[in-house]
Amino acid sequence: MNRDKLLSICLPLREAFIRNHYDTDTLLDALGPEVHAALSRNEPVPVRRASTRCGELGTLIRLFLLTDDCPADEVAAALAPLSVEDAVAAGLLDADGDIVRAALDLRPMDIGGGNRWVVSDLDGSFRPRETSVDHVIGVGHASLSLLLATPTAPVGTLLDVGTGCGIQALHGASYAAAVTATDINVRAVDLAAVSAALNEEEVELLVGSWFDPIQGRTFDQIVANPPFVVSRPRVGHTYRDSGLDLDGSSKLMISRVADHLAPGGIAALLASWIHVAGEDWRSRVASWLPAHGIDAWVVQRDRADPELYVGTWMRDGDLDIHDPASAAIAGDWLDHLASANVEGVGFGFVYLRRTDAPTDLMAEDLTHGFSDPLGAEALAYFDRVQWLREHDVLTARFRVEESTALERVFLPGDNGWNQVVARLHRGSGPAWQHEVDDLLASLVAGMGSGSLGLGELIELLAAAHDVDAEALAQTAVPLVHSLVRHGLVLPAEPA
Ligand SMILES: C[S@@+](CC[C@H](N)C(=O)[O-])C[C@H]1O[C@@H](n2cnc3c(N)ncnc32)[C@H](O)[C@@H]1O
């Protein structure tokens, strides 16, 4: 692969792709949903059959998506005005006589805001191949989950740490005025440069470890899908191993990213953390944050026991656990986790906002399903936390968020239905739920139009139900704080 030569062929390659409609919408239309689904499942036969009806687009499908051996004259027609010779010289294609095949993975993707072409190394989906240490991974589940969970409000400057094929940087280019991307892997930076050029996006690309290439600089937004695999401190593959022990890469990112956030700047990171016997994972993550200057929202999306965790990553590395050498790796890995008292590995999103106040952390499980994008919620969450910091809830007025409902669950009993639980349920965002008793449910109902302050409502309710107002305030105030953080109840006046 030759970066300069690859960059020099981007213009004619883009022209060929545009002429043949090598884009996500056309692929879906041309293949049809069933065959397109077969492509996602890495089943080549239906795709190959359907591609024969697609003319030159079909050639591109077989060449880049199935990594088939293709006749050079067919490829020449599909890639014109780019010549096969130039594509081979740049390292995009390999040639063997009259047969050519893809040497890189090059596929259209819809990452919000229209079609993009992304270049990465080929994986073994359709043709067995070795994964080199500097393998540049394509867009996977983790990449897409971060993409969907990233705030996309317009910002000035954006940094993508560990850019790989450049997918987060390309996404950033749709909402940031200036994008910088870094990677320790030179090959990744080269391919990210090609991804950017193919999409006519300007990205500042820098080689180096973590924040070294941008020392002394700050950004309005930072995104990172770092190599967060929890294992021994060694690098098997740069795309997944940081060389730091256990959850050291997440600790490094979370503890150092704040230094590079401009005032009010946001970070959206993927991270993992170990669950150690006798330690709360929340305290572990909290210990990575500076004491001052950060609002942090950490959501744990999943937790795996060591066996499941190691097995999953063994499969990701195409290691057959029935092979004795692979079994030894798995055993060594499990021993290492056991020696550190690791009972599980948590995984999720970390959102940070730079403030000038003492650090505020909310770390919580978010393992239930929801469909709204988390990025917008993170921005709203930070606004609500700031509002709480600046206001006394007892004198404030509130309203119930439009999608919040009160649910009551009844179970059959000897004398009919018995209410076993009542909870407030937000129908939007992360679909949070909070259990409430009848008195607190009435308090929230009383917020109604937002005409009375919380303190006044508590006084009225206490008098009506003959309970002590101060005692009621002691349970109501923390509940209202939690309901505001989770967006079930909002300040009546704009935040
Ligand atoms: C999981 S991949 C993510 C790639 C891409 N950002 C995405 O979302 O698909 C992690 C990336 O971090 C890079 N990386 C590994 N160690 C690094 C380090 N010390 N500093 C910067 N980048 C590093 C790898 O080369 C790889 O490209």
Side-chain angles (χ1 to χ4, degrees), residues 137 143 162-164 167-168 183-185 208-210 225-227 238-239:
I137 192 168
S143 329
T163 194
I167 182 70
Q168 311 295 339
D183 205 291
I184 197 172
N185 182 357
S209 186
W210 306 118
N225 168 12
T238 321
Y239 75 85

Side-chain angles (χ1 to χ4, degrees), residues 71-272:
D73 55 344
E74 278 181 24
V75 172
L79 288 185
L82 174 64
S83 73
V84 167
E85 293 70 30
D86 285 352
V88 171
L92 176 64
L93 304 179
D94 285 332
D96 186 0
D98 289 342
I99 294 297
V100 292
R101 66 183 72 93
L104 292 169
D105 187 304
L106 208 177
R107 61 186 58 230
M109 306 218 60
D110 184 357
I111 57 173
N115 185 76
R116 296 280 202 278
W117 293 287
V118 181
V119 190
S120 62
D121 275 324
L122 291 167
D123 63 18
S125 303
F126 291 108
R127 216 183 250 270
R129 63 185 69 243
E130 290 277 296
T131 306
S132 63
V133 175
D134 64 352
H135 177 83
V136 179
I137 192 168
V139 177
H141 290 304
S143 329
L144 289 174
S145 72
L146 177 62
L147 209 73
L148 290 172
T150 296
T152 54
V155 290
T157 53
L158 176 118
L159 171 67
D160 171 21
V161 181
T163 194
C165 61
I167 182 70
Q168 311 295 339
L170 280 182
H171 183 229
S174 62
Y175 59 87
V179 179
T180 300
T182 69
D183 205 291
I184 197 172
N185 182 357
V186 178
R187 188 173 172 84
V189 168
D190 288 349
L191 291 187
V194 177
S195 295
L198 267 177
N199 295 287
E200 299 189 318
E201 295 290 3
E202 280 224 6
V203 176
E204 179 192 25
L205 281 153
L206 304 168
V207 177
S209 186
W210 306 118
F211 299 101
D212 291 355
I214 50 91
Q215 272 317 309
R217 292 173 63 183
T218 59
F219 296 83
D220 299 323
Q221 187 155 322
I222 298 179
V223 295
N225 168 12
F228 51 72
V229 176
V230 169
S231 64
R232 279 195 186 280
R234 63 170 74 119
V235 177
H237 299 301
T238 321
Y239 75 85
R240 52 180 248 187
D241 305 319
S242 65
L244 299 170
D245 198 17
L246 298 169
D247 49 12
S249 67
S250 297
K251 175 182 177 181
L252 186 145
M253 281 301 302
I254 292 170
S255 57
R256 287 184 41 197
V257 74
D259 296 341
H260 300 284
L261 284 177
I266 301 279
L269 317 170
L270 278 180
S272 53

